[in-house]
Amino acid sequence: MTALAFGILALLLVGPAPALLARAQWPLRAPRAAMALWQAIALAAVLSAFSCGLAIAANLLVPDANGHPTTNPLDEFQSLGPVLWTIYVAVFLLTLVIGARLIFTTIRVGVRTRARRSAHRQLIDLLDRLDRTDRSNPLYARDVRMLDVDEPLAYCLPGLRQRVVLSEGTVSRLTRDELDAVITHERAHLRARHDLVLEAFIAVHAAFPRFVRSRSALAAVQLLVEILADDRAVRAVGHRPLGRALVACADSVAPRGALAVGGPTTLVRVSRLSDTRSATAVASLAYLTAAAILIVPTLAVAIPWLWEISHLVTAPR
């Protein structure tokens, strides 16, 4: 029953729950709470999947009279029956595959993304058109680079050597307040390390089988990180400068591994700037739900397993 409960919970947290949350409108008013809930769902889904596998492993290695586990899962073939034993083994192997895919995807995404950023960082440092001798230039900063491009470009490159990349087209189109909004937006991404949040969701999304995972989860999280950066820019310069800057940079694109100020979510983000409704109640409920999603499964796993471990340790040899 424990394995079944955790298996059902993992399926719900990977499929239906993200699909429902992605269609909700309240995360636009409480993005920080929504992000906490998304992270809790992702982490609880992984923990539930592993807990399901561990519970099945416990059934395949039933302790003997002295409290020691049997050393061969085949010993339980007769007691469980061929059908149930086959299901247990199949689910346990699927759990191992998910764990291996999660580790592999995390490493692959991290290595490839950082290689792209390093190569692109070297390129923009060579192509930088900003006059570094003019310290009176309002754009003068260690992390800002400007490219000789007429199209509006504005994005950031996270990492140890962070960069905020602007094009001359962006600088010429925006007023000083609007430019400050763009730079503040990109620096908010860098300061909060939103790139790591996205990498984690990419890894979790790729780890689970396609027929159970939600396609909308990653897109919803990408929108939330942009909204969180927007809110930081609003606190710095106000709603109107940011709104005008977002419209001007709506067609801005970025290389893979970077975070652009524009993109397909611009219309939604501009629309929400006029929504001043309080979201305190829904944010509090989201935080409580996130805590419950994490704490309840963790306690349900930790307490029985701590009891089993103590029983094994104290069992007579």
Side-chain angles (χ1 to χ4, degrees), residues 5 23 59 94 108 111 154 161 178 180 205 214 227 276 284:
R23 290 196 296 267
N59 289 328
L94 179 61
R108 182 183 64 178
V111 171
R161 294 182 296 162
E178 295 166 0
D180 285 343
H205 179 77
S214 172
I227 289 176
T276 58
S284 300

Side-chain angles (χ1 to χ4, degrees), residues 114 117-118 121 142-143 157-163 190 193 195-196:
R114 280 152 186 79
R117 288 174 186 162
S118 178
R121 187 181 296 110
R142 291 184 59 186
D143 61 340
L157 287 173
L160 296 177
R161 294 182 296 162
Q162 302 171 345
R163 298 288 185 270
L190 299 175
R193 293 311 307 264
D195 58 302
L196 298 181

